Amino acid sequence: HAPPPLTRGVVLASGALLVSSPGSIWGMVEGDDCGKCELALCSEPKDCPAGTVLDRCGCCPECGNVEGQICDLDQGNHFYGQCGDNLECRLDADEARFGEVPEPQCVCKSQESICGPEGKTYENICQFNKAYATKRNISMKHKGPCESAPVISVPPQDVQNFTGNDVIFGCEVSAYPMPHLEWKKKGSKMFLPGDDAHISARGGPQKYGVTGWLQIQGLKKSDEGIYICHTKNKYGATYASARLKVIDGILCFVFFIWM
Ligand SMILES: *[C@@H]1O[C@H](CO)[C@@H](O)[C@H](O)[C@H]1NC(C)=O
Ligand SMILES: *[C@@H]1O[C@H](CO)[C@@H](O)[C@H](O)[C@H]1NC(C)=O
């Protein structure tokens, strides 16, 4: 059934904005009557993040819709626009299940990750193309994630707390292949947590890296020191450290009274 006229007008306006390129504006002015295609009258759209598609008249090139953008399920329709390179228009079945009116969206056909020339891993070819839309000449390094030595993206932070309280150090590492992550206290050869019951280490793999946490419960004055997150894979190793300061709870209380 057809949507009410007002809704249709609003949607049409936003649809026109999404695909606004010289080609499509020309097409809309012409209405459904496309007439003869004069390629010479088309203007080449520039820097389209998902490449170009043909406009509603099948004549001029216009920017294709990008990943996540609403699109026309039917190839013959030219309302929201057609998806660009490596993308297809799909209905999200999950949305319908949650009682929403499902909207067709451009989805990347491949979910294989891509290693960019600068060593950054992109989720898929569509994300890579979007990042390099203005530098079409640059090609990917290879399919799959970039292999690299670990880089600590979020290092542990200095903390202080009172005796008896708890602290947590975090360490977030990106690397591929999956790096190892270990904790040590400066001056000790032992890896933590060892057999010390008040210290525990947790963590888990991320898509291209690993995140680790070191928790120290019931702080003692002797816990004070520097804690180091060590990480390595076959391409290299690195570390980052943070200081733990343990404040004596009773001394501090006396200090506050005295103030
Ligand atoms: C594209 O790459 C080729 C070969 O690497 C180079 O000769 C050419 O100048 C580049 N073009 C642009 C626009 O960067
Ligand atoms: C200090 O200890 C308390 C109680 O264990 C905890 O809730 C709080 O997050 C700790 N503060 C810091 C900065 O770790």
Side-chain angles (χ1 to χ4, degrees):
H1 71 107
L6 180 63
T7 318
R8 192 173 178 94
V10 171
V11 173
L12 184 63
S14 63
L17 273 180
L18 289 175
V19 295
S20 67
S21 74
S24 67
I25 287 166
W26 180 78
M28 292 193 69
V29 171
E30 294 292 297
D32 283 333
D33 176 22
C34 286
K36 198 163 158 273
C37 176
E38 300 261 17
L39 275 176
L41 294 178
C42 300
S43 49
E44 185 74 32
K46 283 189 109 176
D47 302 337
C48 295
T52 58
V53 295
L54 290 183
D55 68 5
R56 52 190 271 128
C57 293
C59 178
C60 295
E62 62 181 19
C63 285
N65 290 3
V66 298
E67 197 177 12
Q69 200 171 340
I70 188 164
C71 49
D72 296 314
L73 261 185
D74 177 1
Q75 292 279 327
N77 248 348
H78 284 274
F79 192 66
Y80 297 116
Q82 300 292 319
C83 298
D85 296 344
N86 306 300
L87 290 151
E88 66 188 358
C89 197
R90 257 192 243 157
L91 265 185
D92 186 352
D94 286 344
E95 270 185 35
R97 231 187 299 147
F98 292 118
E100 290 169 46
V101 179
E103 286 183 332
Q105 284 186 358
C106 298
V107 178
C108 201
K109 283 181 196 165
S110 159
Q111 288 309 321
E112 188 179 12
S113 52
I114 297 290
C115 180
E118 75 309 44
K120 182 175 178 221
T121 300
Y122 293 87
E123 216 171 286
N124 57 43
I125 183 72
C126 304
Q127 295 288 319
F128 171 78
N129 284 343
K130 200 164 136 194
Y132 281 91
T134 56
K135 302 165 231 164
R136 284 262 146 182
N137 213 11
I138 296 176
S139 53
M140 69 171 93
K141 213 180 226 169
H142 57 78
K143 287 189 174 181
C146 301
E147 306 222 331
S148 73
V151 172
I152 298 179
S153 46
V154 182
Q157 303 291 311
D158 290 352
V159 287
Q160 53 179 31
N161 219 328
F162 300 106
T163 49
N165 282 359
D166 310 340
V167 292
I168 293 181
F169 288 111
C171 189
E172 204 175 303
V173 184
S174 43
Y176 187 86
M178 184 74 70
H180 289 281
L181 189 153
E182 285 166 325
W183 293 93
K184 268 184 186 172
K185 188 177 179 187
K186 196 177 175 183
S188 160
K189 282 198 176 68
M190 297 265 293
F191 286 111
L192 295 171
D195 48 15
D196 193 334
H198 82 302
I199 300 181
S200 57
R202 257 172 294 159
Q206 308 287 307
K207 199 162 181 191
Y208 302 118
V210 62
T211 300
W213 294 277
L214 184 75
Q215 184 178 37
I216 308 173
Q217 289 178 293
L219 285 176
K220 296 179 282 187
K221 194 71 185 166
S222 59
D223 289 323
E224 203 164 81
I226 291 173
Y227 289 81
I228 310 165
C229 158
H230 284 272
T231 175
K232 67 170 182 229
N233 68 5
K234 65 174 175 174
Y235 292 104
T238 187
Y239 67 92
S241 62
R243 181 182 297 273
L244 168 64
K245 193 165 183 262
V246 181
I247 308 160
D248 201 310
I250 294 166
L251 269 185
C252 190
F253 180 69
V254 170
F255 181 70
F256 276 122
I257 298 277
W258 179 72
M259 290 288 283

